[in-house]
Amino acid sequence: MAAPTIRADQTSVFPRFLDLAYPNIERGHGVWLETIAGERILDATSGGAMVACLGHGVPEIIDAAARQAEQVAYFYNHHFTSEPQEELADRIIEVVAPEMARVKVASGGSEANESAVRLARAYHVDRGRPERWRIISPAQAYHGSTLGTLALSGRRRSLQDPYVEYMPGYLHIPPSTSRLDPTGEQALKELDRVLKEAGPDTVSAFFCEPVSAAAMPAYSPPDRFWEGLAERREKHGFLVCFDEIVTGVGRVGSWLAAHQLPIEPDIVTIGKGIGAGYWPLAAVLCREHVYVALAEGSAEFDLGHTWDGAPLPCAVGVAVLNYIVRHQLVDRVRDRGPELLAQLKAATKGIDIVGEVRGRGFLLGVSLVDPRDGKAFLPDELDAATLVDDIGFEHGLLVSSTHSTPDGYAGDEVLLAPAFTSTDDELNEMIERFADTMLAVEKAVRAKL
Ligand SMILES: Cc1ncc(COP(=O)(O)O)c(C=O)c1O
């Protein structure tokens, strides 16, 4: 029988962490993953990366993928278009983002974000402003693992090292977190400083997550920051790009997180939930004026990855969107989210290692703090994030944690992102197992401190 866990020295796979034994998952159903040995793990993070928003094994999506594969699975969208690509773009504009004008289909978040950077640049070049190339972004972010998207993050120690030499010199501002800058004014001051230093006429775009995912789950700067950003866009003429790879398609209780904020982005990327884990899928959305700049300029936006807009991924995207609409899942996330947050807060109350508890829709996050003072980040070398994930497994729970402490913007953060289809009983069970996990983590951390 195949091994229930597999370590690097037992496999031909080049694993992500070479010192870990990976549970060997055989099947998934709803919010449960099952190892080859029959152990069940409650999936509180939609497959671990906030992707499987409909849960595992949904027959309608599987059937749609099979039907499309039978008809035609692949051709390159450089040469052709197809009904699935046309329908996906139409449905995204109709349902997800009526304020947007065009959709460029991509295969993953990093690809979509790189395309957004290039689209912003092409917008300025086609309008006769080739000096605009710089991107400004908040430092604690995560926007992908390619060298271009890694440069959008300012997390030097936890993400960019030792590849920093390969990255373009984008500019960063300290994030407007509740700890560093609760009003948003400090971040705006920094933005002004960076704009002045770089020369506002050299700036192409401000790039950020409207609501953070892994970097600081469920956090969004105060409204004043977004209003100030919109004022500066108006004054200086750069574009605002929102990375909604995680938050897009309903995760925070609205089709886009942007719909909850006092600013309208020019370009938005969506991913993860749009393919729901049934096929790699993402997209770049832009407003009319961005499209018009290219239509009246070079009349091309010539970049493409092999799978962009192919029939099979697009058919999956259409099926996922239709499923979300038919089952009113965005309403479900919006209506159930506040209670889920209240449950999480109540269940973790009195656990000293739990700091801030945040939530928007079905995106929830917990900051870890030193249990001795309830405030400070935990020591870097403890890597409490990994401890949470490991102890979560021992409790049969999949959560996802980030260790960004070395950069100083945020400490260890734990993320929950249940499938939109999770039942009340399943959500209750996730919260219960999470509280038990955190109690055990606190015990382990105290023993090490
Ligand atoms: C906010 C955000 N942007 C971009 C990405 C990159 O997406 P991908 O891993 O599909 O390239 C991620 C992945 O976790 C993400 O969380």
Coordinates of all heavy atoms in Angstrom, one line a residue, residues 347-348 350-354 368 371 378 382 384-397 431-449:
A347 N -14.6 31.7 20.8 CA -13.9 30.4 21.0 C -12.5 30.6 21.4 O -11.9 29.8 22.1 CB -14.0 29.5 19.7
T348 N -11.9 31.7 20.9 CA -10.4 32.0 21.2 C -10.2 33.0 22.3 O -9.1 33.3 22.7 CB -9.7 32.5 19.9 OG1 -10.4 33.6 19.4 CG2 -9.6 31.4 18.9
G350 N -9.6 34.4 25.8 CA -8.9 33.8 26.9 C -7.6 33.0 26.5 O -6.9 32.5 27.4
I351 N -7.4 32.8 25.2 CA -6.2 32.1 24.8 C -5.2 33.2 24.5 O -5.3 34.0 23.6 CB -6.5 31.3 23.5 CG1 -7.6 30.3 23.7 CG2 -5.2 30.6 23.1 CD1 -8.0 29.4 22.5
D352 N -4.2 33.3 25.4 CA -3.3 34.4 25.4 C -2.5 34.6 24.1 O -2.0 35.7 23.8 CB -2.3 34.3 26.6 CG -3.1 34.4 27.9 OD1 -4.2 35.0 27.9 OD2 -2.6 33.8 28.9
I353 N -2.2 33.5 23.4 CA -1.4 33.7 22.2 C -2.2 34.3 21.0 O -1.6 34.7 20.1 CB -0.8 32.3 21.8 CG1 0.4 32.4 20.9 CG2 -1.9 31.4 21.2 CD1 1.1 31.2 20.6
V354 N -3.5 34.3 21.2 CA -4.3 34.9 20.1 C -4.4 36.4 20.3 O -4.9 36.9 21.4 CB -5.7 34.3 20.1 CG1 -6.7 35.0 19.2 CG2 -5.6 32.8 19.8
L368 N -1.0 36.0 15.9 CA -0.4 35.4 17.1 C 0.5 36.5 17.8 O 1.2 37.3 17.2 CB 0.5 34.2 16.7 CG -0.2 33.1 16.0 CD1 0.6 31.9 16.0 CD2 -1.6 32.8 16.6
P371 N 2.4 35.2 24.4 CA 1.4 35.0 25.4 C 1.8 35.7 26.7 O 1.0 35.9 27.6 CB 1.2 33.5 25.6 CG 2.5 32.9 25.0 CD 3.0 33.9 23.9
L378 N 5.8 37.1 18.2 CA 6.6 36.0 18.8 C 8.0 36.0 18.2 O 8.2 36.4 17.1 CB 5.9 34.7 18.5 CG 4.6 34.4 19.3 CD1 3.7 33.4 18.7 CD2 5.0 33.9 20.7
L382 N 11.1 30.9 16.6 CA 10.1 30.0 17.0 C 9.2 29.4 15.8 O 8.7 28.3 15.9 CB 9.1 30.7 18.0 CG 8.6 29.9 19.2 CD1 9.7 29.3 20.0 CD2 7.7 30.8 20.0
A384 N 6.2 30.1 14.8 CA 4.9 29.7 15.4 C 3.9 29.3 14.3 O 3.1 28.4 14.5 CB 4.4 30.7 16.3
A385 N 4.1 29.9 13.1 CA 3.1 29.6 12.0 C 3.2 28.1 11.7 O 2.1 27.5 11.5 CB 3.5 30.5 10.8
T386 N 4.4 27.6 11.5 CA 4.5 26.2 11.2 C 4.0 25.3 12.3 O 3.3 24.3 12.0 CB 6.0 25.9 10.9 OG1 6.4 26.7 9.8 CG2 6.2 24.4 10.5
L387 N 4.2 25.8 13.5 CA 3.7 25.0 14.7 C 2.1 24.9 14.6 O 1.6 23.8 14.9 CB 4.1 25.8 15.9 CG 4.3 25.0 17.2 CD1 5.4 24.0 17.0 CD2 4.8 26.0 18.3
V388 N 1.5 26.0 14.2 CA 0.0 26.0 14.1 C -0.4 25.0 13.1 O -1.3 24.2 13.3 CB -0.5 27.4 13.8 CG1 -2.0 27.4 13.6 CG2 -0.2 28.4 14.8
D389 N 0.2 25.0 11.9 CA -0.2 24.1 10.8 C 0.0 22.7 11.3 O -0.9 21.8 11.0 CB 0.6 24.4 9.6 CG 0.2 25.7 8.9 OD1 -0.8 26.4 9.5 OD2 0.8 26.1 7.9
D390 N 1.1 22.4 11.9 CA 1.4 21.0 12.4 C 0.4 20.6 13.4 O -0.1 19.4 13.4 CB 2.8 20.9 12.9 CG 3.9 21.1 11.8 OD1 3.5 21.1 10.6 OD2 5.1 21.3 12.1
I391 N 0.2 21.4 14.4 CA -0.7 21.0 15.5 C -2.1 20.9 15.0 O -2.9 20.1 15.4 CB -0.5 22.0 16.7 CG1 0.8 21.8 17.3 CG2 -1.6 21.7 17.8 CD1 1.2 22.7 18.5
G392 N -2.5 21.8 14.0 CA -3.8 21.7 13.3 C -4.0 20.3 12.8 O -5.0 19.7 13.0
F393 N -3.0 19.8 12.1 CA -3.1 18.4 11.5 C -3.3 17.4 12.6 O -4.2 16.5 12.4 CB -1.8 18.1 10.8 CG -1.7 18.5 9.3 CD1 -0.5 18.7 8.7 CD2 -2.9 18.6 8.6 CE1 -0.5 19.0 7.4 CE2 -2.8 19.0 7.3 CZ -1.6 19.2 6.7
E394 N -2.6 17.6 13.7 CA -2.9 16.6 14.8 C -4.3 16.7 15.3 O -4.8 15.7 15.8 CB -1.9 16.9 16.0 CG -0.5 16.6 15.7 CD 0.5 17.2 16.7 OE1 0.0 17.6 17.8 OE2 1.7 17.3 16.4
H395 N -5.0 17.8 15.1 CA -6.4 17.9 15.5 C -7.3 17.7 14.3 O -8.5 18.0 14.3 CB -6.7 19.3 16.1 CG -6.1 19.5 17.4 ND1 -4.8 19.7 17.7 CD2 -6.7 19.5 18.6 CE1 -4.6 19.8 19.0 NE2 -5.7 19.7 19.6
G396 N -6.7 17.1 13.2 CA -7.5 16.8 12.0 C -8.1 18.1 11.3 O -9.2 18.1 10.8
L397 N -7.3 19.2 11.3 CA -7.8 20.5 10.8 C -6.7 21.1 9.9 O -5.5 21.1 10.2 CB -8.0 21.4 12.0 CG -8.6 22.8 11.6 CD1 -10.0 22.7 11.1 CD2 -8.5 23.8 12.8
I431 N -14.4 25.8 14.0 CA -14.1 26.7 15.1 C -13.7 25.9 16.3 O -12.7 26.3 17.0 CB -15.4 27.6 15.4 CG1 -15.8 28.4 14.2 CG2 -15.1 28.5 16.6 CD1 -14.8 29.6 13.8
E432 N -14.4 24.9 16.6 CA -14.1 24.1 17.8 C -12.7 23.5 17.7 O -11.8 23.6 18.6 CB -15.1 22.9 17.9 CG -15.4 22.5 19.3 CD -16.6 21.6 19.3 OE1 -17.7 22.0 19.2 OE2 -16.3 20.4 19.4
R433 N -12.4 22.9 16.5 CA -11.1 22.3 16.4 C -10.0 23.4 16.4 O -8.9 23.1 16.8 CB -11.0 21.5 15.0 CG -11.8 20.2 15.1 CD -11.5 19.4 13.9 NE -12.5 18.2 13.8 CZ -12.3 17.1 13.2 NH1 -11.1 16.9 12.5 NH2 -13.2 16.2 13.2
F434 N -10.3 24.6 15.8 CA -9.3 25.6 15.8 C -9.0 26.1 17.2 O -7.8 26.3 17.5 CB -9.8 26.8 15.0 CG -8.8 27.9 14.8 CD1 -7.6 27.7 14.1 CD2 -9.0 29.1 15.5 CE1 -6.7 28.7 14.0 CE2 -8.0 30.1 15.4 CZ -6.9 29.9 14.6
A435 N -10.0 26.2 18.0 CA -9.8 26.7 19.4 C -8.9 25.6 20.2 O -7.9 26.0 20.9 CB -11.1 26.9 20.2
D436 N -9.2 24.4 20.0 CA -8.4 23.3 20.6 C -6.9 23.4 20.1 O -6.0 23.2 20.8 CB -9.0 21.9 20.3 CG -10.3 21.7 21.0 OD1 -10.6 22.4 21.9 OD2 -11.0 20.7 20.6
T437 N -6.8 23.6 18.8 CA -5.5 23.7 18.2 C -4.7 24.9 18.8 O -3.5 24.7 19.2 CB -5.6 24.0 16.7 OG1 -6.2 22.9 16.1 CG2 -4.2 24.2 16.0
M438 N -5.4 26.0 19.0 CA -4.7 27.2 19.5 C -4.3 27.0 21.0 O -3.2 27.5 21.4 CB -5.5 28.5 19.3 CG -5.7 28.9 17.9 SD -4.2 28.8 16.9 CE -3.3 30.0 17.7
L439 N -5.1 26.3 21.7 CA -4.8 26.0 23.1 C -3.5 25.2 23.2 O -2.6 25.4 23.9 CB -5.9 25.3 23.8 CG -7.0 26.1 24.4 CD1 -8.2 25.2 24.9 CD2 -6.5 26.9 25.6
A440 N -3.4 24.2 22.3 CA -2.2 23.3 22.2 C -1.0 24.1 21.7 O 0.1 23.9 22.2 CB -2.5 22.1 21.3
V441 N -1.2 25.0 20.8 CA -0.1 25.8 20.3 C 0.4 26.7 21.4 O 1.6 26.8 21.6 CB -0.6 26.7 19.1 CG1 0.5 27.7 18.8 CG2 -0.9 25.8 17.9
E442 N -0.5 27.3 22.2 CA 0.0 28.1 23.3 C 0.8 27.3 24.3 O 1.8 27.8 24.7 CB -1.2 28.8 24.0 CG -0.8 29.6 25.2 CD -1.9 30.5 25.7 OE1 -2.7 31.0 24.9 OE2 -1.9 30.7 26.9
K443 N 0.3 26.1 24.6 CA 1.1 25.3 25.5 C 2.5 25.0 25.0 O 3.5 25.2 25.7 CB 0.3 24.0 25.7 CG 0.7 23.3 26.9 CD -0.4 22.2 27.2 CE 0.2 21.2 28.2 NZ -0.4 19.9 28.0
A444 N 2.5 24.7 23.7 CA 3.8 24.3 23.0 C 4.7 25.6 23.0 O 6.0 25.5 23.3 CB 3.6 23.8 21.6
V445 N 4.2 26.7 22.7 CA 5.0 27.9 22.6 C 5.5 28.3 24.0 O 6.7 28.7 24.2 CB 4.1 29.1 22.0 CG1 4.8 30.4 22.3 CG2 4.0 28.9 20.5
R446 N 4.6 28.3 25.0 CA 5.1 28.6 26.4 C 6.2 27.7 26.8 O 7.2 28.2 27.5 CB 3.9 28.5 27.4 CG 3.0 29.7 27.3 CD 2.0 29.6 28.5 NE 0.9 30.6 28.5 CZ 1.0 31.8 28.9 NH1 2.1 32.3 29.4 NH2 0.0 32.6 28.8
A447 N 6.1 26.4 26.4 CA 7.2 25.5 26.8 C 8.5 25.9 26.2 O 9.6 25.6 26.7 CB 6.8 24.1 26.4
K448 N 8.5 26.5 25.0 CA 9.7 26.9 24.3 C 10.2 28.3 24.7 O 11.4 28.6 24.4 CB 9.4 26.9 22.8 CG 9.3 25.5 22.2 CD 9.1 25.6 20.7 CE 8.8 24.2 20.2 NZ 9.3 24.0 18.8
L449 N 9.4 29.1 25.2 CA 9.8 30.5 25.5 C 10.7 30.6 26.7 O 10.6 29.8 27.6 CB 8.6 31.4 25.7 CG 7.8 31.8 24.4 CD1 6.5 32.5 24.8 CD2 8.6 32.7 23.6

